[in-house]
Amino acid sequence: MGDSMDSQNPSPRGLGPITIVHRGLVGGSTLLLAAVALAVHRWPLPPSQVRPALPPATIVFLALGIGSLLFGFLILRPRLPSPLPGQTVSSYWESQAAVSGAIVLWAVIDSSAVLGSIGYFATHSLALAVVALAGLLGLIACAPARLRADLPDR
């Protein structure tokens, strides 16, 4: 009895497993950034190790983090496949092209959050904390329901 209802509508807007993947990435990046922020706050660099404002490591992390964020939003997101006429949310997210495109997009955007977090931990540069936060917010902005909000529910 419950199986027939579950098979008709497995999750809100028919997103099922793809939502689980996205939430896992968002959760992992959130935990990493929170742990790094706590560590940097709890154990600041000793005065002898304070570095100039933009040491080479900070510049590299900034370039990689911002670059991956821009690549994701400017190159990959527009290349996600368009829905076919009359295609529902469920059938769109069952297509391999849509799923693989979204996962690659999320991985690239997530890499900016991870690079920003690691760079923030290594250099204590607030600019890298901002990159990590921008990556996390970018990942949230690319939730499955937002990527294809133009699809009908059924």
Side-chain angles (χ1 to χ4, degrees), residues 41-138:
H41 175 73
R42 193 119 161 103
W43 299 287
L45 287 175
S48 63
Q49 291 184 355
V50 173
R51 299 174 180 103
L54 284 176
T58 302
I59 294 170
V60 169
F61 278 112
L62 281 171
L64 291 173
I66 293 171
S68 64
L69 197 59
L70 290 174
F71 182 73
F73 276 102
L74 298 178
I75 306 295
L76 296 178
R77 187 168 183 185
R79 292 185 181 190
L80 285 175
S82 296
L84 301 172
Q87 190 172 28
T88 64
V89 173
S90 295
S91 63
Y92 178 80
W93 286 112
E94 289 172 0
S95 72
Q96 184 177 355
V99 170
S100 59
I103 289 174
V104 169
L105 171 66
W106 296 334
V108 169
I109 292 174
D110 188 47
S111 71
S112 67
V114 171
L115 286 165
S117 295
I118 293 170
Y120 179 46
F121 181 73
T123 66
H124 290 228
S125 170
L126 284 178
L128 289 165
V130 171
V131 168
L133 187 59
L136 179 60
L137 293 175

Side-chain angles (χ1 to χ4, degrees), residues 7-51:
S7 64
Q8 288 176 352
N9 192 10
S11 70
R13 291 194 39 90
L15 298 174
I18 197 73
T19 301
I20 294 169
V21 171
H22 180 260
R23 287 180 182 166
L25 287 169
V26 169
S29 290
T30 301
L31 287 174
L32 176 64
L33 182 56
V36 165
L38 179 66
V40 167
H41 175 73
R42 193 119 161 103
W43 299 287
L45 287 175
S48 63
Q49 291 184 355
V50 173
R51 299 174 180 103

